[in-house]
Amino acid sequence: MCTVLNGLKSRIMPLLFISEKTITLTNYRLEWRALQPDTERFQHLSLPAPAADADCLAAVQARLCNGLSLLLQTRARVPLMLVKSPESAAYLALLQNIISTMADNEDDAAMLYGGHYQVTDRQVSWHAAQSADDNFASVGGVHQAGWIEPEQLFGCVRTHHSNLSLSPGLVHQANGGVLILSLRTLLAQPLMWLRLKQILVNQRFDWHSQDENRPLPLDIPSMPMQFRLVLIGERDALADFQDMEPELASVSLYSEFEDHIQLADDEDINHWIMWVQSVAESLDCPAPATDLWPVLVREAARYTGDQDALPLEPEWIGRQLQEAALYNDGAELSAQNLQDALSTREWREGFLSDRMRDEILQEQILIETEGEMIGQINALSVMEFPGHPRAFGEPSRISCVVHAGDGEFTDVERKAELGGNIHAKGMMIMQSWLMTELELEQQLPFSASLVFEQSYSEVDGDSASLAELCALISALALQPINQQIAVTGSVDQFGRVQPVGGVNEKIEGFFHICNQRTLSGNQGVIIPAANVRHLSLQQEVVDAVREGKFHLWAVSSVDEALPLLTGKEWHKEQGACLLQTIQERIAQITLPDARHHPWPLRWLNWFNRS
């Protein structure tokens, strides 16, 4: 009777397993519409008319414009403003144009500043400016410079055969106006900053010899000078300036050039469209056509990593429009123009990713995309190489083996000094969750070893901790993992799955491998639910998902990921589950030697094992 039941059970259980797994795989599956930002609202919007640069900037950079307006009105002793911004020529010119527009709106008539130096054989005299033609006269205005040398900034004193001449510098041209400088320039030349600071604080310009060993041949009178100073730099440069000048930094105005706009309503969309139109006009690019916006929005969301955030950087926007213009011969930039530019760029920059993919397809790097394996899982990594402009995704094989031991979890990457601190942190967190779930009263009687197979460089980050945890559970429960599914995500100590970076590149990296090996219709990727808003996938992937050839699942906890990978739940009140299987295996290992038991206990122990 037992033999008959066992035979019947062996035929029924695989059917039950497949049914449970099929039902499970339908849960948490994403529709193709969620894989890209919603561009329908751009298609149905009535496009706004082009606006002036100042109006566009005020709409998308309200905080920055408020700070610049306060700078023009301030009566502070040291009129200084710090702006977090890239230190490129495009941003310097943009700030110059905006401040000039603001200053023109506030000033009714231009005023004269500075004066006139008259040089004779034996003396140098100075008098206040009478006209704009005086050699050191200024009407204010807004002036800017990226990299600048002391002679260009402060002017210089030249002598030739006892003849002396004075040349004005940028500070003289900006006298009475606004001076915009790169913070990197001043940090690299601290003596130049000290002199500029003295002029700004004392509101007076003094002449100095360029050579410390050769004083000025004549006494040159100083002149009154006042201007507003704007220093722009990245956050690390601002931090260095704050360390160097803590008191000055604390009393200065501060604002940032925001690198993206968060889309809350249609008004934000209109503001972004106006900003793109303004950038296109400033670069003399053809105006964007109506059908271009969905393509640009998808690429923009991919760049920002958020479906509801679009970039404001004029350099990034300008690059897309200028490259699209190379494929355009009409009056407007079309969607096809931009798509051709993006596809060509991807092909042009894709040599390295193609070669890495070939290594997998030629089985030099072993990645399984079919079948099942115990203790093996496909994790996903983002590869970034110095000197290469494009990051790309690549699957990584993680394996775990378990044997009787003292409960030690060996992170091979860490032991080999190839694992970073964040990776080690993720390993310890996932171990803590597992120990809590098992509720052991004693040390785990197993030891485990986890490794990134065929990895020969440093591994860091915690985005593989979910995959490592699933591989460990598979090895402990002797339950195979579906190799058609790849996993990315980090976990916390409560088993919740947390978002990771590079999710688009990771999905596409696994998709291209599966696609070139022929899609089975069962392959796909598990991602954190919090990463759904970051999706902006290539159209090829979206089409495969829409046709049911490839799948994406979004999970919020380890409990949701394990059934997708193994076909069995982690924990349930009644029936077999992974947690129960691991606990029973631990109990078998920790039972005392059966030979020391009375015969009924030996028979019972044998019956349980059978």
Side-chain angles (χ1 to χ4, degrees), residues 4 11 124 143 190 290-291 348 459 462 510 514:
V4 174
R11 291 193 298 271
V124 178
H143 304 267
T290 304
D291 66 346
R348 188 173 61 248
V459 175
D462 61 351
F510 188 68
C514 295

Side-chain angles (χ1 to χ4, degrees), residues 82 87 181-188 231-233 237-238 241:
L82 303 175
E87 301 180 42
L181 293 177
S182 162
L183 189 53
R184 177 186 55 186
T185 298
L186 300 179
L187 293 174
L231 301 179
I232 75 168
L238 292 170
F241 181 80

